[in-house]
Amino acid sequence: MTSRWVVFSPDGGIQAEFILNNGIPYYSVRYRHRPVIRPSKLGFTFEHAEPLNRNFRVSAARYDSFNETWTQPWGEVREIRNHYNELRVALEETTPSPRRMFIIFRVYNDGLGFRYELPEQDHLSHFEIKREETEFALTDVEVAWWIPAYQKLYTELLYHVTPLRSIPYRAVHTPLTMKMADGLYLSIHEAELSRYSTLTLMPLENNTLAADLIPWSDGVKVKGSTPLKTPWRTIQIAETPGDLITSYLILNLNEPNRLGDVSWVQPGKYIGIWWGMHLGIYTWSYGPRHGATTENAKRYIDFAAKYGIPMVVIEGWNIGWENDWTKHGENFSFTTPYPDYDIVEVTSYAASKGVKIIGHMETAGAIQNLERQLEAAFTLFKKLGIDVVKTGYVSPDPALKRFDDQGNLISMEWLGGQYNVDHHRKVIETAARYQISLIAHEPVKDTGERRTYPNMMTREGARGQEFDASAEYAGNPPDHTTILPFTRMLAGPIDYTPGIVRLIYREFRPGNRVRGTLAKQLALYVVLYSPLQMAADLPENYEQQRAAFQFILDVPTDWQDTKVLGGEIGDYVTIVRKDRNSEEWYLGSITDEHGRTLAAPLAFLDPDKAYVAEIYADGPSADWRTNPYPLTISKVPVDRSTTLQLRLAPGGGQAIRIRPAAVDEIQVPPG
Ligand code: NOJ
C-alpha cells in the first residue's frame, strides 16, 4: 500500500512528496512538474538496535506556512525573506515496542530542506547511528563540481568537474553543486549542523547519492540521545548558477540569533603578520626571523593606522611553534607570549592608534589542549581588548588527537566528525560569552551557524590563497575562484585572504606565484564574500602598489544588497553589492584562464542619481601568464542606463567602485 503527502513551495514551483510504501518511507522532489529527485530512501540503521527505516505508519501529518523577513546583523544582504510551506510527518513503528520519528519538509521557492526529529520516548534514548539512510536519487545529472572527502587536506582541495558516475572516491563534500541535463542547477548541503556529524555524499549507481556521515574513529557515525534534531538536508534549485549565490535557504533553516544585541560583532578589514610566514620570510617560532616581535607588530599597527585598517592579526605570538608544530599541538599555550613579544605593550600601542589586535589560536588538531585553555585565553584576550580570534586546526585528516584523562592518546578523529562539530560549538558559545568573534581555519564546514551565533563570522574551509605560497603544494589555478562562489561559498563566508599585489615572489617561493592578475585580486573582495576580509600582502608591497591598494581600502565588508549579474561555474562570475552604510555599489568580475568581455548593465542603480564608476581594469597587455600587473584605473560617469563592457584578461578581473557623483562631477546634458 502506498500513501502520499505533498507540499509545494509558496510559488508552486517546487513540489516535495513524502511517500510511505508498505511501511517504508521515501521522498521525492519535482521542479515545475519535472522530477528532480526520484523516490529516495529515508531512515537510520543503528549499532545494537533495530533499523529505523521500515514498519512505519503515519500517525499524523501537519501542514504549516511561514512568511517573515528578518534582518541580518551583518551580511551580504540586510533583509532576508524566510517564506516556506512545511509538512511535518509523524511516523510510528507498527512493532510491539514502537519507536517514533518525525520527518519535516520545508519547501521554499529556491529549494527545500528536510530533517529528522527523534523525540524523547520509551524505546529510544541513547543510540549510535551506523548509517543515516538518506539518499538523493537524482534524475539526469550532467556534471557535478566536487572535492573528495576523507583526504589528508580535508576540504583544501581543487574542484573536479565530472558526471557523478566518474567520481572515483568513496564520497564527496557538500555543498555539492550539479548541473542537470535540462539546464537546472542543484546544490546539496546541510543546515544547522549540531550534535551530529558532517554529511558527505557517496555516489551510487544511476545518479544516486547516499548520505555518508563522517564517522568517529570506531566507525560509529553519531553518538546521540533523544531528543535529537538532525541537521537539515538541503537542496537548492536554481535556473541560473547565479541564483544559487543569492539563495539564503541555508541561513533560513538555522535558528534566529540567540545572542541578543550583537553590536559588538564588527565586520571589517584586517592585515597581519601572516603572508611573511607563508613566504618563509618570517617564522612563527621564536628565533632570528621571528615574525611576531613587539617591534614588527608595531610596524604593522602603524601601517594599519596610517590607512585606516581596523584590525591586525598576529600569528606566532605564543609559545609552542617549535619542532614542526603541526605534530605537537599540545605544546601550544594560548596565554604565554614569546619573550620578544610584549603582548600588553602591543595591544596598548594598538589601542592608542585606534587599531584592534586579532588573537590567534592554532591547535594543530590538539583540541582538548585548546578546550582546557579556552576560558583563560578568552579572559586574557578580553582584558587586552582583543575581540576577534582566529582559530586553526592544521592536521593531516584524520588527526584530531583524543586523549584520555591520564593523557594517553586514545584515538585520532576526522576534522568533520561529531567530535569536532561538538568542539566547534563549544568554542563558538564560549567565545560569545566573552563577546569574542571568530575566524576559523581548517574548520568544520559552515552550515549557516552565523544566523544563530553572529560571532561565528567567517572561515576558510577551502583551498585558500595561502596555497599560492606553499612550498609543498601547487597553488590555485585561475578557475578556482570562479568555482568557489557556486560551491563552497553556498555554505557561507570565506576567509580566502585575497589582496596579494606582488604576484610573483621567486626569491622566496621559486615554484609559486599567484595565477591571476592584479585586477582580479581586487575583484575578489567583492566576489568572495566575507565580513572580515584580509588585505593579505606585506605592507611594503601595498606601498609599492598604492593605486591598486586604494580599492582594497575603499571596499566595504558589510552589505545591504547583493546581485549576480552573470556567471558560469568555473568560467566567470560578476557580482555587485551595495554597501551596508552608504549609497555606494561595488562590482567584482573574475574570469578563468580565458580572457572575455562581459556586459554589466547598471540597471540596479537608483533612478534619480548620477554616479561615478572608479574602474580598476586589466590593462590592455595584461595576461596572468606573461604580464599580470597592468592595471588601468579610470573614472567614468554612469547611471542606471549605462551598460559597462568589462574586459577581463586571461586569468583577470575587474573591480569597480560606483559612488554617487559629487556636485561638481555631475554632467548636465546639453540643451
Ligand atoms: C593554516 C591557516 O590557514 C593559516 O592562515 C595559518 O597561518 C596557519 N595555518 C598557521 O596557523
PDB file of all heavy atoms in Angstrom, residues 34-59:
ATOM      1  N   ARG A  34       8.764  18.659 -13.321  1.00  0.00           N
ATOM      2  CA  ARG A  34       9.778  17.708 -13.793  1.00  0.00           C
ATOM      3  C   ARG A  34      10.395  17.021 -12.579  1.00  0.00           C
ATOM      4  O   ARG A  34      10.773  17.693 -11.616  1.00  0.00           O
ATOM      5  CB  ARG A  34      10.902  18.432 -14.544  1.00  0.00           C
ATOM      6  CG  ARG A  34      10.439  19.284 -15.699  1.00  0.00           C
ATOM      7  CD  ARG A  34      11.616  19.622 -16.598  1.00  0.00           C
ATOM      8  NE  ARG A  34      12.644  20.442 -15.945  1.00  0.00           N
ATOM      9  CZ  ARG A  34      12.734  21.770 -16.069  1.00  0.00           C
ATOM     10  NH1 ARG A  34      11.850  22.427 -16.794  1.00  0.00           N
ATOM     11  NH2 ARG A  34      13.707  22.433 -15.493  1.00  0.00           N
ATOM     12  N   PRO A  35      10.544  15.708 -12.605  1.00  0.00           N
ATOM     13  CA  PRO A  35      11.183  15.052 -11.465  1.00  0.00           C
ATOM     14  C   PRO A  35      12.641  15.490 -11.333  1.00  0.00           C
ATOM     15  O   PRO A  35      13.372  15.549 -12.328  1.00  0.00           O
ATOM     16  CB  PRO A  35      11.109  13.558 -11.788  1.00  0.00           C
ATOM     17  CG  PRO A  35      10.399  13.427 -13.076  1.00  0.00           C
ATOM     18  CD  PRO A  35      10.135  14.774 -13.660  1.00  0.00           C
ATOM     19  N   VAL A  36      13.032  15.861 -10.147  1.00  0.00           N
ATOM     20  CA  VAL A  36      14.419  16.241  -9.868  1.00  0.00           C
ATOM     21  C   VAL A  36      15.052  15.156  -8.997  1.00  0.00           C
ATOM     22  O   VAL A  36      16.178  14.740  -9.203  1.00  0.00           O
ATOM     23  CB  VAL A  36      14.453  17.604  -9.146  1.00  0.00           C
ATOM     24  CG1 VAL A  36      15.870  17.949  -8.722  1.00  0.00           C
ATOM     25  CG2 VAL A  36      13.889  18.699 -10.032  1.00  0.00           C
ATOM     26  N   ILE A  37      14.279  14.711  -8.008  1.00  0.00           N
ATOM     27  CA  ILE A  37      14.724  13.602  -7.169  1.00  0.00           C
ATOM     28  C   ILE A  37      13.651  12.519  -7.208  1.00  0.00           C
ATOM     29  O   ILE A  37      12.486  12.775  -6.877  1.00  0.00           O
ATOM     30  CB  ILE A  37      14.984  14.082  -5.727  1.00  0.00           C
ATOM     31  CG1 ILE A  37      16.088  15.135  -5.783  1.00  0.00           C
ATOM     32  CG2 ILE A  37      15.327  12.917  -4.803  1.00  0.00           C
ATOM     33  CD1 ILE A  37      16.794  15.431  -4.521  1.00  0.00           C
ATOM     34  N   ARG A  38      14.047  11.349  -7.666  1.00  0.00           N
ATOM     35  CA  ARG A  38      13.118  10.216  -7.725  1.00  0.00           C
ATOM     36  C   ARG A  38      12.915   9.689  -6.296  1.00  0.00           C
ATOM     37  O   ARG A  38      13.704  10.022  -5.412  1.00  0.00           O
ATOM     38  CB  ARG A  38      13.718   9.120  -8.611  1.00  0.00           C
ATOM     39  CG  ARG A  38      13.855   9.539 -10.081  1.00  0.00           C
ATOM     40  CD  ARG A  38      14.691   8.549 -10.878  1.00  0.00           C
ATOM     41  NE  ARG A  38      16.109   8.717 -10.638  1.00  0.00           N
ATOM     42  CZ  ARG A  38      16.940   7.753 -10.265  1.00  0.00           C
ATOM     43  NH1 ARG A  38      16.512   6.525 -10.067  1.00  0.00           N
ATOM     44  NH2 ARG A  38      18.225   8.009 -10.059  1.00  0.00           N
ATOM     45  N   PRO A  39      11.896   8.876  -6.070  1.00  0.00           N
ATOM     46  CA  PRO A  39      11.665   8.390  -4.712  1.00  0.00           C
ATOM     47  C   PRO A  39      12.969   7.868  -4.094  1.00  0.00           C
ATOM     48  O   PRO A  39      13.646   7.019  -4.679  1.00  0.00           O
ATOM     49  CB  PRO A  39      10.628   7.286  -4.907  1.00  0.00           C
ATOM     50  CG  PRO A  39       9.853   7.761  -6.105  1.00  0.00           C
ATOM     51  CD  PRO A  39      10.877   8.404  -7.016  1.00  0.00           C
ATOM     52  N   SER A  40      13.318   8.431  -2.949  1.00  0.00           N
ATOM     53  CA  SER A  40      14.620   8.167  -2.334  1.00  0.00           C
ATOM     54  C   SER A  40      14.433   7.764  -0.885  1.00  0.00           C
ATOM     55  O   SER A  40      13.510   8.215  -0.212  1.00  0.00           O
ATOM     56  CB  SER A  40      15.488   9.435  -2.377  1.00  0.00           C
ATOM     57  OG  SER A  40      15.716   9.834  -3.702  1.00  0.00           O
ATOM     58  N   LYS A  41      15.382   6.966  -0.416  1.00  0.00           N
ATOM     59  CA  LYS A  41      15.293   6.382   0.931  1.00  0.00           C
ATOM     60  C   LYS A  41      15.430   7.397   2.056  1.00  0.00           C
ATOM     61  O   LYS A  41      16.133   8.400   1.927  1.00  0.00           O
ATOM     62  CB  LYS A  41      16.447   5.404   1.105  1.00  0.00           C
ATOM     63  CG  LYS A  41      16.252   4.060   0.496  1.00  0.00           C
ATOM     64  CD  LYS A  41      17.337   3.186   1.116  1.00  0.00           C
ATOM     65  CE  LYS A  41      17.593   1.942   0.327  1.00  0.00           C
ATOM     66  NZ  LYS A  41      18.831   1.300   0.772  1.00  0.00           N
ATOM     67  N   LEU A  42      14.851   7.052   3.193  1.00  0.00           N
ATOM     68  CA  LEU A  42      14.970   7.829   4.434  1.00  0.00           C
ATOM     69  C   LEU A  42      15.166   6.861   5.593  1.00  0.00           C
ATOM     70  O   LEU A  42      14.819   5.679   5.478  1.00  0.00           O
ATOM     71  CB  LEU A  42      13.675   8.629   4.665  1.00  0.00           C
ATOM     72  CG  LEU A  42      13.339   9.719   3.649  1.00  0.00           C
ATOM     73  CD1 LEU A  42      11.867  10.115   3.758  1.00  0.00           C
ATOM     74  CD2 LEU A  42      14.226  10.939   3.854  1.00  0.00           C
ATOM     75  N   GLY A  43      15.684   7.338   6.689  1.00  0.00           N
ATOM     76  CA  GLY A  43      15.760   6.497   7.892  1.00  0.00           C
ATOM     77  C   GLY A  43      17.172   6.277   8.402  1.00  0.00           C
ATOM     78  O   GLY A  43      18.126   6.921   7.947  1.00  0.00           O
ATOM     79  N   PHE A  44      17.283   5.376   9.380  1.00  0.00           N
ATOM     80  CA  PHE A  44      18.571   5.123  10.053  1.00  0.00           C
ATOM     81  C   PHE A  44      18.773   3.640  10.279  1.00  0.00           C
ATOM     82  O   PHE A  44      17.814   2.897  10.454  1.00  0.00           O
ATOM     83  CB  PHE A  44      18.574   5.765  11.447  1.00  0.00           C
ATOM     84  CG  PHE A  44      18.380   7.246  11.437  1.00  0.00           C
ATOM     85  CD1 PHE A  44      17.111   7.785  11.618  1.00  0.00           C
ATOM     86  CD2 PHE A  44      19.454   8.101  11.244  1.00  0.00           C
ATOM     87  CE1 PHE A  44      16.919   9.154  11.601  1.00  0.00           C
ATOM     88  CE2 PHE A  44      19.266   9.468  11.233  1.00  0.00           C
ATOM     89  CZ  PHE A  44      17.991  10.001  11.410  1.00  0.00           C
ATOM     90  N   THR A  45      20.035   3.261  10.333  1.00  0.00           N
ATOM     91  CA  THR A  45      20.363   1.996  10.985  1.00  0.00           C
ATOM     92  C   THR A  45      21.237   2.328  12.182  1.00  0.00           C
ATOM     93  O   THR A  45      21.970   3.327  12.167  1.00  0.00           O
ATOM     94  CB  THR A  45      21.086   1.015  10.049  1.00  0.00           C
ATOM     95  OG1 THR A  45      22.289   1.638   9.593  1.00  0.00           O
ATOM     96  CG2 THR A  45      20.236   0.644   8.849  1.00  0.00           C
ATOM     97  N   PHE A  46      21.118   1.497  13.224  1.00  0.00           N
ATOM     98  CA  PHE A  46      21.840   1.737  14.484  1.00  0.00           C
ATOM     99  C   PHE A  46      22.772   0.578  14.802  1.00  0.00           C
ATOM    100  O   PHE A  46      22.558  -0.548  14.350  1.00  0.00           O
ATOM    101  CB  PHE A  46      20.841   1.863  15.649  1.00  0.00           C
ATOM    102  CG  PHE A  46      19.906   3.024  15.528  1.00  0.00           C
ATOM    103  CD1 PHE A  46      18.543   2.815  15.341  1.00  0.00           C
ATOM    104  CD2 PHE A  46      20.378   4.327  15.612  1.00  0.00           C
ATOM    105  CE1 PHE A  46      17.668   3.893  15.239  1.00  0.00           C
ATOM    106  CE2 PHE A  46      19.504   5.406  15.521  1.00  0.00           C
ATOM    107  CZ  PHE A  46      18.156   5.189  15.330  1.00  0.00           C
ATOM    108  N   GLU A  47      23.768   0.859  15.601  1.00  0.00           N
ATOM    109  CA  GLU A  47      24.511  -0.212  16.263  1.00  0.00           C
ATOM    110  C   GLU A  47      23.622  -0.661  17.421  1.00  0.00           C
ATOM    111  O   GLU A  47      23.009   0.164  18.089  1.00  0.00           O
ATOM    112  CB  GLU A  47      25.829   0.325  16.853  1.00  0.00           C
ATOM    113  CG  GLU A  47      26.706   1.107  15.895  1.00  0.00           C
ATOM    114  CD  GLU A  47      27.556   0.221  15.002  1.00  0.00           C
ATOM    115  OE1 GLU A  47      27.576  -1.013  15.206  1.00  0.00           O
ATOM    116  OE2 GLU A  47      28.182   0.786  14.086  1.00  0.00           O
ATOM    117  N   HIS A  48      23.573  -1.929  17.664  1.00  0.00           N
ATOM    118  CA  HIS A  48      22.869  -2.508  18.826  1.00  0.00           C
ATOM    119  C   HIS A  48      21.376  -2.168  18.889  1.00  0.00           C
ATOM    120  O   HIS A  48      20.806  -2.098  19.954  1.00  0.00           O
ATOM    121  CB  HIS A  48      23.488  -2.052  20.168  1.00  0.00           C
ATOM    122  CG  HIS A  48      24.966  -1.889  20.126  1.00  0.00           C
ATOM    123  ND1 HIS A  48      25.812  -2.937  19.903  1.00  0.00           N
ATOM    124  CD2 HIS A  48      25.756  -0.791  20.255  1.00  0.00           C
ATOM    125  CE1 HIS A  48      27.062  -2.497  19.902  1.00  0.00           C
ATOM    126  NE2 HIS A  48      27.056  -1.189  20.101  1.00  0.00           N
ATOM    127  N   ALA A  49      20.747  -1.893  17.793  1.00  0.00           N
ATOM    128  CA  ALA A  49      19.292  -1.671  17.811  1.00  0.00           C
ATOM    129  C   ALA A  49      18.759  -1.914  16.401  1.00  0.00           C
ATOM    130  O   ALA A  49      19.509  -1.836  15.420  1.00  0.00           O
ATOM    131  CB  ALA A  49      18.960  -0.247  18.263  1.00  0.00           C
ATOM    132  N   GLU A  50      17.493  -2.191  16.309  1.00  0.00           N
ATOM    133  CA  GLU A  50      16.866  -2.449  15.009  1.00  0.00           C
ATOM    134  C   GLU A  50      16.875  -1.183  14.155  1.00  0.00           C
ATOM    135  O   GLU A  50      16.812  -0.076  14.696  1.00  0.00           O
ATOM    136  CB  GLU A  50      15.402  -2.891  15.223  1.00  0.00           C
ATOM    137  CG  GLU A  50      15.241  -4.289  15.780  1.00  0.00           C
ATOM    138  CD  GLU A  50      15.843  -5.336  14.857  1.00  0.00           C
ATOM    139  OE1 GLU A  50      15.469  -5.367  13.668  1.00  0.00           O
ATOM    140  OE2 GLU A  50      16.712  -6.112  15.327  1.00  0.00           O
ATOM    141  N   PRO A  51      16.945  -1.337  12.833  1.00  0.00           N
ATOM    142  CA  PRO A  51      16.900  -0.152  11.965  1.00  0.00           C
ATOM    143  C   PRO A  51      15.604   0.631  12.152  1.00  0.00           C
ATOM    144  O   PRO A  51      14.567   0.059  12.512  1.00  0.00           O
ATOM    145  CB  PRO A  51      16.946  -0.721  10.546  1.00  0.00           C
ATOM    146  CG  PRO A  51      17.228  -2.165  10.664  1.00  0.00           C
ATOM    147  CD  PRO A  51      17.041  -2.586  12.081  1.00  0.00           C
ATOM    148  N   LEU A  52      15.701   1.907  11.886  1.00  0.00           N
ATOM    149  CA  LEU A  52      14.519   2.773  11.978  1.00  0.00           C
ATOM    150  C   LEU A  52      14.225   3.268  10.557  1.00  0.00           C
ATOM    151  O   LEU A  52      14.471   4.424  10.208  1.00  0.00           O
ATOM    152  CB  LEU A  52      14.831   3.940  12.926  1.00  0.00           C
ATOM    153  CG  LEU A  52      13.682   4.819  13.413  1.00  0.00           C
ATOM    154  CD1 LEU A  52      12.667   4.028  14.227  1.00  0.00           C
ATOM    155  CD2 LEU A  52      14.215   5.987  14.240  1.00  0.00           C
ATOM    156  N   ASN A  53      13.771   2.346   9.719  1.00  0.00           N
ATOM    157  CA  ASN A  53      13.567   2.698   8.314  1.00  0.00           C
ATOM    158  C   ASN A  53      12.445   1.882   7.660  1.00  0.00           C
ATOM    159  O   ASN A  53      12.334   1.828   6.445  1.00  0.00           O
ATOM    160  CB  ASN A  53      14.870   2.514   7.519  1.00  0.00           C
ATOM    161  CG  ASN A  53      15.397   1.093   7.587  1.00  0.00           C
ATOM    162  OD1 ASN A  53      14.724   0.197   8.115  1.00  0.00           O
ATOM    163  ND2 ASN A  53      16.585   0.883   7.045  1.00  0.00           N
ATOM    164  N   ARG A  54      11.617   1.230   8.435  1.00  0.00           N
ATOM    165  CA  ARG A  54      10.540   0.368   7.875  1.00  0.00           C
ATOM    166  C   ARG A  54       9.499   0.141   8.964  1.00  0.00           C
ATOM    167  O   ARG A  54       9.656   0.629  10.083  1.00  0.00           O
ATOM    168  CB  ARG A  54      11.139  -0.954   7.401  1.00  0.00           C
ATOM    169  CG  ARG A  54      11.806  -1.691   8.530  1.00  0.00           C
ATOM    170  CD  ARG A  54      12.644  -2.863   8.093  1.00  0.00           C
ATOM    171  NE  ARG A  54      13.348  -3.334   9.276  1.00  0.00           N
ATOM    172  CZ  ARG A  54      14.317  -4.198   9.296  1.00  0.00           C
ATOM    173  NH1 ARG A  54      14.758  -4.714   8.177  1.00  0.00           N
ATOM    174  NH2 ARG A  54      14.879  -4.568  10.411  1.00  0.00           N
ATOM    175  N   ASN A  55       8.469  -0.589   8.624  1.00  0.00           N
ATOM    176  CA  ASN A  55       7.378  -0.906   9.582  1.00  0.00           C
ATOM    177  C   ASN A  55       6.753   0.355  10.183  1.00  0.00           C
ATOM    178  O   ASN A  55       6.424   0.389  11.358  1.00  0.00           O
ATOM    179  CB  ASN A  55       7.879  -1.780  10.751  1.00  0.00           C
ATOM    180  CG  ASN A  55       8.507  -3.066  10.283  1.00  0.00           C
ATOM    181  OD1 ASN A  55       8.029  -3.648   9.302  1.00  0.00           O
ATOM    182  ND2 ASN A  55       9.581  -3.484  10.935  1.00  0.00           N
ATOM    183  N   PHE A  56       6.632   1.380   9.364  1.00  0.00           N
ATOM    184  CA  PHE A  56       6.053   2.621   9.881  1.00  0.00           C
ATOM    185  C   PHE A  56       4.590   2.757   9.505  1.00  0.00           C
ATOM    186  O   PHE A  56       4.136   2.241   8.486  1.00  0.00           O
ATOM    187  CB  PHE A  56       6.788   3.838   9.293  1.00  0.00           C
ATOM    188  CG  PHE A  56       8.116   4.134   9.929  1.00  0.00           C
ATOM    189  CD1 PHE A  56       9.280   4.152   9.162  1.00  0.00           C
ATOM    190  CD2 PHE A  56       8.213   4.433  11.283  1.00  0.00           C
ATOM    191  CE1 PHE A  56      10.508   4.462   9.729  1.00  0.00           C
ATOM    192  CE2 PHE A  56       9.430   4.740  11.860  1.00  0.00           C
ATOM    193  CZ  PHE A  56      10.575   4.753  11.084  1.00  0.00           C
ATOM    194  N   ARG A  57       3.883   3.514  10.343  1.00  0.00           N
ATOM    195  CA  ARG A  57       2.600   4.078   9.921  1.00  0.00           C
ATOM    196  C   ARG A  57       2.688   5.572  10.184  1.00  0.00           C
ATOM    197  O   ARG A  57       3.493   6.016  11.026  1.00  0.00           O
ATOM    198  CB  ARG A  57       1.432   3.445  10.684  1.00  0.00           C
ATOM    199  CG  ARG A  57       1.382   3.811  12.135  1.00  0.00           C
ATOM    200  CD  ARG A  57       0.235   3.126  12.855  1.00  0.00           C
ATOM    201  NE  ARG A  57       0.178   3.627  14.222  1.00  0.00           N
ATOM    202  CZ  ARG A  57      -0.526   4.683  14.623  1.00  0.00           C
ATOM    203  NH1 ARG A  57      -1.275   5.357  13.750  1.00  0.00           N
ATOM    204  NH2 ARG A  57      -0.500   5.075  15.884  1.00  0.00           N
ATOM    205  N   VAL A  58       1.913   6.345   9.460  1.00  0.00           N
ATOM    206  CA  VAL A  58       1.889   7.790   9.700  1.00  0.00           C
ATOM    207  C   VAL A  58       0.837   8.056  10.760  1.00  0.00           C
ATOM    208  O   VAL A  58      -0.345   7.777  10.547  1.00  0.00           O
ATOM    209  CB  VAL A  58       1.594   8.559   8.395  1.00  0.00           C
ATOM    210  CG1 VAL A  58       1.329  10.031   8.674  1.00  0.00           C
ATOM    211  CG2 VAL A  58       2.756   8.411   7.423  1.00  0.00           C
ATOM    212  N   SER A  59       1.245   8.529  11.909  1.00  0.00           N
ATOM    213  CA  SER A  59       0.267   8.762  12.974  1.00  0.00           C
ATOM    214  C   SER A  59      -0.345  10.153  12.866  1.00  0.00           C
ATOM    215  O   SER A  59      -1.414  10.402  13.386  1.00  0.00           O
ATOM    216  CB  SER A  59       0.892   8.550  14.350  1.00  0.00           C
ATOM    217  OG  SER A  59       1.993   9.402  14.495  1.00  0.00           O
TER     218      SER A  59
END
